Amino acid sequence: MKRWGLVALLCLAAALPGRAIAKSPPFELDMLETRDLRVLYTPGDAYLAPYAVQTFENSMDFQRRAFDYTPWERTTVVLTDFSDYGDAGTSVSPHDQVTVYIAPDDLTLETSPGSERMFMTANHELVHVATMDGWNQRDERWRDFFNGKPRATDEHPETILYNYLTVPRSNVPRWYLEGIAVFMETWMSGGIGRAQGAYDEMVFRAMVRDHAHFYSPLGLVSKGTAVDFQTMTNAYLYGTRFISYLALHYSPQMVIDWYRRGKDSKAYYADQFEQVFHVPLDRAWNDWIAWEHSFQGKNLEKVREFPLTKARRLTGRALGNVSQLYFDAQNDSLIGAFQYPGVLAYVGVLSLKDGSIRHLADIKGPMAYRVASTAYDPASKTFFYTADNQELRDLMEVDVRNGRSRMLLKDARIGDLAFDTADRSLWGLRHLNGYVTLVRIPYPYKDWTQVHTWPYGDDPFSLAVSKDGSMLSMSVATIDGHKMLRIFKTADLLAGTVEPFAHFDFGQATPEGFVFTADGRYLYGSSYYTGISNVYRYDIATKKIDAVSNAETGFFRPVPLADGKLVALEYTGQGFVPVMIDPAPLQDLSAITFLGTRIADQHPVVKAWGVGSPDKVPLKSTITGKGKYRPSHQIRPQTRYPVVEGYRGGVALGWHFDFTDALNLYKLGVTAAVSRGGQGGAGERLHLTVDYQGMNWYAHYWHNHADFYDLFGPVETSLKGDALMGGYKRALVFDSPRQMDLDVGAAYYTGLATLPGSQNVAAQVNDIFAAHTSLMYKNRRASLGGLDREKGLSWNVDATAYVAGGKTVPQLRGGFQFGFLLPLPHTSLWSYTSAGVSGGQRSSALANFYFGGFHNNYVDNQDPKQYRGYDSFPGFEIDEISGHTFVKQMVELNLTPLRFAEVGTPGFYLKWLRPALFAGTLVTDPNHAAYRHTVRDLGVQIDIDISVLNHLPMTLSAGYARGFNGPDGDSDEWMLSLKIL
């Protein structure tokens, strides 16, 4: 029994993190408050906080006027720097909150045209607040009844209804939300934005040219945001285009009336559409598609007025998202990064002989459109690329000859790479605290040096270095919205002189992907200078720029070849295709008509929607308070609502109360209920649950624990008696998708009828103390459009010690899972291995592991694939199999999903169906011949993904398994389950 001493020590280690944490300072943020806002920030972002106050107040004033919006509460704005590229997100329940990632925007392909980033973000996100949180008297009554806006949770699924009653306009499709936000942000900034963006025009022009399928409103949300290479970006594209069409053909004011939550407005967005426009939404959508074909057809005719540049395709299919490519003359190939549906993003070598691509290395954390920042050393055949592009970028390299990759700099936050062949150094741009810094990384790339940091709002991007290393070019977006190409002497930069010796101002158009020719005479790059993305040649000596292509859709990221030809990326409806073109200076290019221009001409009211400079907001008088935001001190009552729960065959009715801080970092939930019927006696009618969750600590108290999902069996979690639990959780590794979590804690149970987690096993003792330590690691990824993890591994180790009846029972359990993609799209094969060993007497209920069943309730909130759990074993009854020790092996095959596009309505529709096959073997007590027991099972499960209220996910699962129990006979199990949220 000495080996169990180690297990007991691991369990008692639960106390150690508390000692360390107790000495650390409490979490806090700095805070500025106004009448309508609470701006939270760290000291590193303090310089931005006053400006954030001005921009958000400036925008909020417009929302009040445009949407007749009265804020229900202060909107909490959180400034963060957890990503290397700008982004933001908004929620309105239970609080109005906007999270802003302050890094520079990704200007790839001009997908984010606009003026200063904080200004654009404030305008976009507060349109979300105004349109989602807008309320009338009906909504007000419900908010008063619930004391707020309950968030839809799977713990109490009744909240789905409560959320709709309080914030009905947040239960809408993504395209509806993003369409109006993009449309308004464009006109709020004087017409600069995606509603007048050249990229959007190119997308729909390409779709018409390529006869691509236009999704219906239902097809867009069910399929179009999942299988297309642009995934969720399609919600922005379609939504913005449809809203713009409505503004043109009806009026901008009618669009506003659709989104306003006025006195007589309909709660459901589609009903309100018909009330305002007097046609069903689907019919208006079809009218837009017909108009779009006509509109883009005329644009294509205008483009074809001049000879088109002939482009020879180098691959037989579009490749989705593609990085900057590099030519390898020795092997007649192109090296780059690729990402398209069904395949994990990767570095590959594209053969110009046959169009095949040789896989080199997977890319962790790819980004949209350009996959990663890249550079190439032709001498050593080393390809450099960035990983974790949506978070804090890592610098990686891969040997093109053998595919061996390694990390050079972790979390360096450096991208826009350029290789200097003269000294083998790398140049790059580093993003930190909202600033952009030019850095140089000398060989062998172990560290970097700062060259120059630009002031906030001036954002360089897209670097290139001449072959002799004497010149460096970059594109620059200035704070006033101008974009330009600048060229520097590298010697000047290293000497501290940051003055370009040549430049070209592209106005509002973005110069991108400019690279030097081998002789250093020219730079080739792309820009929407005339509204269509064409390749341009910049003569460094004469400072003259010439268009050298006339594209129907758009050419990007040219690669000059020794014979004078160019490799470029042509945009198509299915993504980018590498093509070969022969550049020749052109005198004339056609200009297309922009939908946004038509709107401004026909409805000049949008020109008056500009909100103007935030500088007009008087900062001193606007700020009403300053201080520290300590979330643990900010817990306040938030919502209350009635609930229904199940308890041992009976039904319990009660109320739930939520207490949280504005960031939901600290939460206290209290549920009190009374049950009738069922197996419980008179002393079991009262039910009380208290749950506390801090940033790391948690605590729970149960009295006769009841649960909503116990109403729907066969799995029961109800527990007679009392339980007090507490613990500490912490992520030891948080490098998505890599994560390692530690969970240590203890629990005391008294008055139990059955064991916790084993509903069919009698407790045997009245009081149980348990302590546990768990360590879990996972590193799993999915391809673009994947439904679940498709490749990777995970493992876990769990040590538990029970003390009951004067005896200690230790247990140790572990598991290892790994899987990989198969050649069929989104088809993966997984292996699950688990094993456990227990101390104590075999006769003790606590000293055994229990197995059996799918472990799904008819209505559930757990992972639909519960058969993956160590204690499930479909084909047998729950807890039917037991063992003092065990070894279990399961193999799972997830098959290609069947996607649905038009099954249902926007409020209730099917997205996909996916079958999975599994087979398992379980051996209990393998080292004891007298007790050894081997069982096997074979099963199938079909999952159907359902969306409710336009965006709430649910999964309907059906399964069958056959259990093989040797001489004891075989058995069957059928399963039907609906997973909520």
Side-chain angles (χ1 to χ4, degrees), residues 31-34 36-40 74-78 95-96 98 629 634 662-663:
M31 176 173 61
L32 293 177
E33 290 186 315
T34 71
D36 296 324
L37 301 174
R38 178 191 294 113
V39 177
L40 307 180
R74 277 195 180 112
T75 296
T76 299
V77 179
V78 187
H95 312 283
D96 295 342
V98 177
Y629 181 86
Q634 298 287 335
L663 298 183

Short mmCIF file of all heavy atoms in Angstrom, two decimals, residues 31-34 36-40 74-78 95-96 98 629 634 662-663:
data_model
loop_
_atom_site.label_atom_id
_atom_site.label_comp_id
_atom_site.label_asym_id
_atom_site.label_seq_id
_atom_site.Cartn_x
_atom_site.Cartn_y
_atom_site.Cartn_z
N MET A 31 -9.83 52.50 -14.46
CA MET A 31 -11.20 52.74 -14.92
C MET A 31 -11.46 54.23 -15.08
O MET A 31 -11.07 55.04 -14.24
CB MET A 31 -12.19 52.14 -13.91
CG MET A 31 -13.65 52.39 -14.19
SD MET A 31 -14.73 51.47 -13.05
CE MET A 31 -14.22 52.17 -11.47
N LEU A 32 -12.12 54.56 -16.19
CA LEU A 32 -12.69 55.89 -16.40
C LEU A 32 -14.19 55.70 -16.63
O LEU A 32 -14.60 54.81 -17.36
CB LEU A 32 -12.08 56.58 -17.61
CG LEU A 32 -10.60 56.97 -17.53
CD1 LEU A 32 -10.13 57.57 -18.85
CD2 LEU A 32 -10.36 57.96 -16.39
N GLU A 33 -15.00 56.54 -16.02
CA GLU A 33 -16.45 56.42 -16.14
C GLU A 33 -17.05 57.71 -16.68
O GLU A 33 -16.59 58.81 -16.38
CB GLU A 33 -17.10 56.08 -14.80
CG GLU A 33 -16.82 54.67 -14.32
CD GLU A 33 -17.59 54.32 -13.07
OE1 GLU A 33 -17.62 55.16 -12.16
OE2 GLU A 33 -18.18 53.22 -13.03
N THR A 34 -18.09 57.55 -17.50
CA THR A 34 -18.91 58.65 -17.95
C THR A 34 -20.37 58.30 -17.67
O THR A 34 -20.66 57.25 -17.07
CB THR A 34 -18.72 58.91 -19.46
OG1 THR A 34 -19.33 57.85 -20.20
CG2 THR A 34 -17.25 58.98 -19.83
N ASP A 36 -22.50 57.22 -19.76
CA ASP A 36 -22.91 56.05 -20.54
C ASP A 36 -21.87 54.94 -20.58
O ASP A 36 -22.18 53.84 -21.04
CB ASP A 36 -23.23 56.46 -21.98
CG ASP A 36 -24.40 57.42 -22.07
OD1 ASP A 36 -25.35 57.26 -21.28
OD2 ASP A 36 -24.35 58.32 -22.91
N LEU A 37 -20.64 55.19 -20.16
CA LEU A 37 -19.55 54.25 -20.38
C LEU A 37 -18.77 53.97 -19.11
O LEU A 37 -18.71 54.78 -18.18
CB LEU A 37 -18.57 54.81 -21.43
CG LEU A 37 -19.07 55.14 -22.82
CD1 LEU A 37 -17.97 55.80 -23.61
CD2 LEU A 37 -19.54 53.87 -23.51
N ARG A 38 -18.14 52.80 -19.13
CA ARG A 38 -17.12 52.44 -18.16
C ARG A 38 -15.96 51.88 -18.98
O ARG A 38 -16.07 50.80 -19.56
CB ARG A 38 -17.63 51.39 -17.17
CG ARG A 38 -16.61 50.93 -16.16
CD ARG A 38 -17.09 49.71 -15.38
NE ARG A 38 -18.22 49.99 -14.53
CZ ARG A 38 -19.44 49.50 -14.70
NH1 ARG A 38 -19.68 48.70 -15.76
NH2 ARG A 38 -20.43 49.79 -13.89
N VAL A 39 -14.85 52.59 -19.07
CA VAL A 39 -13.71 52.17 -19.87
C VAL A 39 -12.66 51.58 -18.93
O VAL A 39 -12.19 52.24 -18.01
CB VAL A 39 -13.11 53.35 -20.67
CG1 VAL A 39 -11.87 52.89 -21.44
CG2 VAL A 39 -14.15 53.92 -21.63
N LEU A 40 -12.31 50.31 -19.18
CA LEU A 40 -11.35 49.58 -18.36
C LEU A 40 -10.10 49.33 -19.17
O LEU A 40 -10.18 49.00 -20.36
CB LEU A 40 -11.94 48.26 -17.88
CG LEU A 40 -13.31 48.34 -17.17
CD1 LEU A 40 -13.77 46.95 -16.76
CD2 LEU A 40 -13.23 49.25 -15.96
N ARG A 74 -24.79 51.44 -18.26
CA ARG A 74 -23.47 51.79 -18.78
C ARG A 74 -22.92 50.65 -19.63
O ARG A 74 -23.03 49.48 -19.26
CB ARG A 74 -22.49 52.06 -17.64
CG ARG A 74 -22.55 53.45 -17.04
CD ARG A 74 -21.29 53.67 -16.20
NE ARG A 74 -21.27 54.98 -15.60
CZ ARG A 74 -21.39 55.22 -14.30
NH1 ARG A 74 -21.53 54.20 -13.47
NH2 ARG A 74 -21.35 56.45 -13.84
N THR A 75 -22.32 51.00 -20.75
CA THR A 75 -21.61 50.02 -21.56
C THR A 75 -20.18 49.94 -21.07
O THR A 75 -19.48 50.96 -20.99
CB THR A 75 -21.63 50.40 -23.05
OG1 THR A 75 -22.98 50.40 -23.51
CG2 THR A 75 -20.81 49.43 -23.88
N THR A 76 -19.74 48.73 -20.73
CA THR A 76 -18.36 48.52 -20.29
C THR A 76 -17.48 48.28 -21.50
O THR A 76 -17.73 47.34 -22.27
CB THR A 76 -18.28 47.33 -19.33
OG1 THR A 76 -19.09 47.59 -18.17
CG2 THR A 76 -16.84 47.10 -18.88
N VAL A 77 -16.48 49.11 -21.68
CA VAL A 77 -15.53 48.99 -22.77
C VAL A 77 -14.19 48.54 -22.19
O VAL A 77 -13.62 49.21 -21.34
CB VAL A 77 -15.36 50.32 -23.53
CG1 VAL A 77 -14.33 50.17 -24.65
CG2 VAL A 77 -16.69 50.79 -24.09
N VAL A 78 -13.70 47.40 -22.64
CA VAL A 78 -12.46 46.83 -22.12
C VAL A 78 -11.40 46.91 -23.21
O VAL A 78 -11.57 46.36 -24.30
CB VAL A 78 -12.65 45.36 -21.68
CG1 VAL A 78 -11.39 44.86 -20.99
CG2 VAL A 78 -13.85 45.22 -20.77
N HIS A 95 -24.87 42.00 -19.44
CA HIS A 95 -24.42 43.38 -19.43
C HIS A 95 -24.12 43.84 -20.85
O HIS A 95 -23.87 43.03 -21.73
CB HIS A 95 -23.13 43.54 -18.60
CG HIS A 95 -23.16 42.89 -17.26
ND1 HIS A 95 -23.83 43.44 -16.20
CD2 HIS A 95 -22.61 41.74 -16.80
CE1 HIS A 95 -23.69 42.65 -15.13
NE2 HIS A 95 -22.96 41.61 -15.48
N ASP A 96 -24.11 45.15 -21.04
CA ASP A 96 -23.62 45.72 -22.28
C ASP A 96 -22.11 45.84 -22.17
O ASP A 96 -21.60 46.58 -21.33
CB ASP A 96 -24.23 47.10 -22.53
CG ASP A 96 -25.74 47.05 -22.76
OD1 ASP A 96 -26.24 45.95 -23.05
OD2 ASP A 96 -26.40 48.09 -22.63
N VAL A 98 -18.27 45.82 -24.51
CA VAL A 98 -17.50 45.81 -25.74
C VAL A 98 -16.05 45.53 -25.37
O VAL A 98 -15.47 46.22 -24.54
CB VAL A 98 -17.59 47.15 -26.49
CG1 VAL A 98 -16.71 47.14 -27.73
CG2 VAL A 98 -19.03 47.47 -26.85
N TYR A 629 -10.87 49.17 -11.01
CA TYR A 629 -11.93 48.18 -11.15
C TYR A 629 -11.42 46.87 -10.58
O TYR A 629 -10.55 46.23 -11.16
CB TYR A 629 -12.35 48.01 -12.61
CG TYR A 629 -13.46 46.99 -12.78
CD1 TYR A 629 -14.78 47.37 -12.65
CD2 TYR A 629 -13.17 45.66 -13.08
CE1 TYR A 629 -15.81 46.45 -12.81
CE2 TYR A 629 -14.19 44.74 -13.23
CZ TYR A 629 -15.50 45.13 -13.08
OH TYR A 629 -16.51 44.22 -13.23
N GLN A 634 -16.98 44.16 -7.18
CA GLN A 634 -18.02 44.74 -8.03
C GLN A 634 -19.20 43.80 -8.23
O GLN A 634 -20.04 44.04 -9.10
CB GLN A 634 -17.43 45.08 -9.41
CG GLN A 634 -16.32 46.12 -9.38
CD GLN A 634 -16.85 47.51 -9.12
OE1 GLN A 634 -18.01 47.81 -9.41
NE2 GLN A 634 -16.02 48.39 -8.57
N ALA A 662 -19.31 43.29 -13.69
CA ALA A 662 -19.61 43.71 -15.06
C ALA A 662 -18.88 42.88 -16.11
O ALA A 662 -19.33 42.81 -17.26
CB ALA A 662 -19.28 45.19 -15.25
N LEU A 663 -17.76 42.25 -15.77
CA LEU A 663 -17.00 41.45 -16.71
C LEU A 663 -17.29 39.96 -16.58
O LEU A 663 -16.70 39.14 -17.28
CB LEU A 663 -15.50 41.68 -16.51
CG LEU A 663 -14.99 43.11 -16.75
CD1 LEU A 663 -13.48 43.16 -16.58
CD2 LEU A 663 -15.38 43.60 -18.13
#
